Amino acid sequence: MTNEQKLRVIFAESLGIDEGQITDELTYNSIPEWDSIAHMALVSEIDDQFDTMLDTDDVLDMSTFAKAKEILTKYDVEF
């Protein structure tokens, strides 16, 4: 499984949505499932699965699926 596939699974499971809904343009608060509570669950799962500890600025800045990939590259995760 690639890191992008892994991140898609994390998004799908954390937000309770189908993987088909996940595109680079998927944006925080653009769907009811991605609210502030789900966002924190998503961050926690990303930290667990990629063995990272996202800093506060990155947590706040992670507003799209594409941005999540961009942020993770700062933590040496390759896409």
Side-chain angles (χ1 to χ4, degrees):
M1 179 182 294
T2 68
N3 283 333
E4 180 154 356
Q5 290 168 325
K6 188 175 178 180
L7 187 60
R8 284 182 183 282
V9 169
I10 292 168
F11 264 74
E13 291 179 356
S14 296
L15 301 180
I17 61 175
D18 185 84
E19 279 187 57
Q21 290 180 262
I22 301 167
T23 65
D24 281 346
E25 293 77 30
L26 178 64
T27 305
Y28 173 69
N29 271 336
S30 66
I31 57 172
E33 294 86 353
W34 194 356
D35 60 11
S36 59
I37 302 298
H39 189 74
M40 295 315 296
L42 179 60
V43 168
S44 176
E45 194 62 23
I46 287 171
D47 280 342
D48 287 349
Q49 294 296 317
F50 287 103
D51 196 28
T52 60
M53 184 62 155
L54 300 181
D55 67 32
T56 303
D57 288 340
D58 289 334
V59 170
L60 296 173
D61 201 28
M62 192 175 68
S63 57
T64 66
F65 181 74
K67 189 68 176 178
K69 291 188 292 186
E70 180 184 319
I71 289 168
L72 282 169
T73 62
K74 295 188 332 186
Y75 296 86
D76 298 323
V77 177
E78 294 182 11
F79 289 95

